[in-house]
Amino acid sequence: SVDKLIGDAIMLTFGLSAPQGDEAARALRCAAAMHHAFAGLPSRWRRRYGPLRIELAIGCAQGDAVLANIGSAVRM
């Protein structure tokens, strides 16, 4: 699920609400699909908008997570 949008970044989580045991594999498949989908975009964008530099970086981590709502109930 999408955990948060941070500027030009997206943080995704797998299995937090309903663990299935294959979270790491699903995360890696998602990363591979994002990489594949991104592969053709820069050349299409260059044809449309001219020279530009755009890159994709993907980080994956596995392990324990602390889940909580931080802050007041008014600002959720």
Side-chain angles (χ1 to χ4, degrees):
S1 64
V2 175
D3 183 57
K4 61 183 70 105
L5 302 173
I6 315 153
D8 63 350
I10 301 171
M11 182 175 177
L12 303 175
T13 57
F14 294 83
L16 292 182
S17 59
Q20 299 176 11
D22 66 343
E23 289 77 21
R26 288 189 294 132
L28 292 175
R29 282 195 305 271
C30 179
M34 290 171 60
H35 188 270
H36 178 74
F38 181 81
L41 292 178
S43 61
R44 287 197 322 221
W45 289 341
R46 273 193 292 279
R47 284 194 303 273
R48 185 171 182 176
Y49 302 112
L52 61 99
R53 181 175 174 195
I54 186 166
E55 297 176 355
L56 174 69
I58 299 173
C60 293
Q62 178 181 351
D64 295 334
V66 176
L67 306 175
N69 289 324
I70 300 172
S72 73
V74 176
R75 191 167 187 236
M76 291 299 259

